Amino acid sequence: MKPDAIRDKVAIVGMGCSKFGENWDKDPQDMIVEAAFEAYADAKIEDPQRQIEAVFCGAQYPSKGTAEVADALKLYDRPVSMVVNYCATGTDAFRYGVFAVASGMYDTVLVVGFDKPKDRGVSGPSVAVTGVRGLPATPAGWFSLCAAQYFQTYGAGREDLARIAVKNHHNGTLAPKSMLKREITVEDALGARMISWPFGLYDCAAQSDGAAAAIITSRELAKSYRDDFVLVRGIGIALSPNPQEDPAFDFLRWRASEMAAKQVYAQAGITNPRKEIDVAQVHDCFTLTELLAYEDLGFCEKGSAKEHIQSGTFALDGELPVNTDGGLKTFGHPTGATGVRMIYENYKQLQGKAEKRQVKNATVGLSHNIGGAPQACGICIVAMP
């Protein structure tokens, strides 16, 4: 691999995001149109039929595959490809778009991440996935095994997880397109009904519907679209073995996150993530997932997350704000949309357009997904020129 092969060669010139939530009054195509047309307007694209040369989309639960996007946007006479990579689906679709532009094959492409799981009538993993990929019966059951081991090893507790939920609920009240807009307290989180010990209700992200879109082009052409374009500095995907079949798995980390971080930090030339990243969106399907991400991504030393949670390192006004829009906790997790939605938040943050949740002087942002396959991780680093 040539670590710097794509560094700063591809630019984001427009992004859009639908309202996330239980969108009973919309079908997937409605949300795709909402996100894509916001991205078109943001990039000042007036003739997408002529200007968009290829489409890369990601969805875990598509009902019509690529036709879902082609039909919605009437983009027929060009490549429309679909990526499925569990929780990393949106980030992986974005990655394919970046590579397509960086190779010189296309000048301008559209990336769309979407999913509408609420129409499936179940609240957990896909009904098409047998036995939850060989894991315990529910994702909460599986992730909670790591929480118990982490607590025993490092002395953390439910209060530390509750503080993450409180932070993300607060940030979500500041994000116009989030699903949940309710402040909670540590006492609320600790007193909520138990889902899978130590996870109470507020430790768990909900399923939701949503879509997000990005217009990407070459750095050379970006200036023709806008002055405040955002560059892709690094993007990577990594899979790790099934923990149940991995003798080296210690239940204290997600190895795929560590592997993907190594890739993207090499691509971006980052050696001290805590100091060189200004804002981050990390996968918080459960509060413990966010806690482990702090350590797996090198934001703090292994076992030290609870001290940083208590001191506010990752709060909106902290040293390294994490999940500034409330994360999966307040947006829910329409699997294919989540990764692109996270890049949307970093794009707004770096442009200084995040309104009440704006991080001061942010120039480098990281987004991260982990889950499925049984462990697939996607990470994207974006930066101002």
Side-chain angles (χ1 to χ4, degrees), residues 275-316:
K275 298 298 181 185
E276 296 176 68
I277 294 168
D278 301 312
V279 59
Q281 318 305 323
V282 307
H283 207 79
D284 63 318
C285 51
F286 303 99
T287 46
L288 175 85
T289 321
E290 178 169 326
L291 182 153
L292 293 180
Y294 298 154
E295 300 175 353
D296 294 343
L297 300 177
F299 296 169
C300 63
E301 296 295 322
K302 177 59 67 180
S304 70
K306 66 175 184 178
E307 285 79 17
H308 291 279
I309 293 168
Q310 293 168 12
S311 66
T313 298
F314 306 115
L316 197 55

Side-chain angles (χ1 to χ4, degrees), residues 158-373:
R158 292 195 65 216
E159 294 80 0
D160 300 305
L161 301 184
R163 290 187 179 93
I164 292 174
V166 170
K167 170 182 72 71
N168 289 350
H169 268 265
H170 169 71
N171 293 351
T173 66
L174 307 176
K177 296 182 178 181
S178 68
M179 175 173 66
L180 302 178
K181 291 182 172 58
R182 178 187 175 190
E183 298 273 6
I184 64 168
T185 65
V186 169
E187 291 70 28
D188 291 332
L190 295 176
R193 65 184 172 91
M194 189 58 60
I195 302 299
S196 177
W197 192 95
F199 297 156
L201 179 67
Y202 292 113
D203 291 298
C204 309
Q207 290 265 4
S208 66
D209 307 321
I215 309 288
I216 56 180
T217 188
S218 66
R219 178 173 184 159
E220 290 73 23
L221 293 174
K223 195 76 172 177
S224 66
Y225 287 95
R226 65 188 315 136
D227 292 332
D228 59 346
F229 58 86
V230 172
L231 297 172
V232 180
R233 187 148 291 175
I235 187 163
I237 296 286
L239 270 70
S240 62
N242 184 339
Q244 293 181 316
E245 301 169 358
D246 179 8
F249 187 67
D250 61 8
F251 290 84
L252 299 172
R253 70 196 73 232
W254 298 120
R255 293 181 66 196
S257 291
E258 296 176 325
M259 295 170 176
K262 185 177 180 181
Q263 287 181 31
V264 295
Y265 291 158
Q267 291 177 26
I270 288 177
T271 58
N272 186 341
R274 170 90 161 272
K275 298 298 181 185
E276 296 176 68
I277 294 168
D278 301 312
V279 59
Q281 318 305 323
V282 307
H283 207 79
D284 63 318
C285 51
F286 303 99
T287 46
L288 175 85
T289 321
E290 178 169 326
L291 182 153
L292 293 180
Y294 298 154
E295 300 175 353
D296 294 343
L297 300 177
F299 296 169
C300 63
E301 296 295 322
K302 177 59 67 180
S304 70
K306 66 175 184 178
E307 285 79 17
H308 291 279
I309 293 168
Q310 293 168 12
S311 66
T313 298
F314 306 115
L316 197 55
D317 58 353
E319 180 184 348
L320 173 48
V322 171
N323 286 334
T324 50
D325 63 0
L328 279 67
K329 189 69 194 69
T330 63
F331 273 80
H333 186 25
T335 313
T338 294
V340 185
R341 188 268 302 164
M342 291 175 159
I343 297 170
Y344 174 86
E345 172 65 7
N346 280 340
Y347 172 79
K348 292 295 184 185
Q349 287 285 350
L350 268 52
Q351 290 179 323
K353 298 177 179 176
E355 302 176 339
K356 294 180 180 178
R357 62 191 189 282
Q358 181 65 50
V359 174
K360 291 181 180 178
N361 304 318
T363 61
V364 179
L366 177 147
S367 55
H368 156 267
N369 304 116
I370 178 74

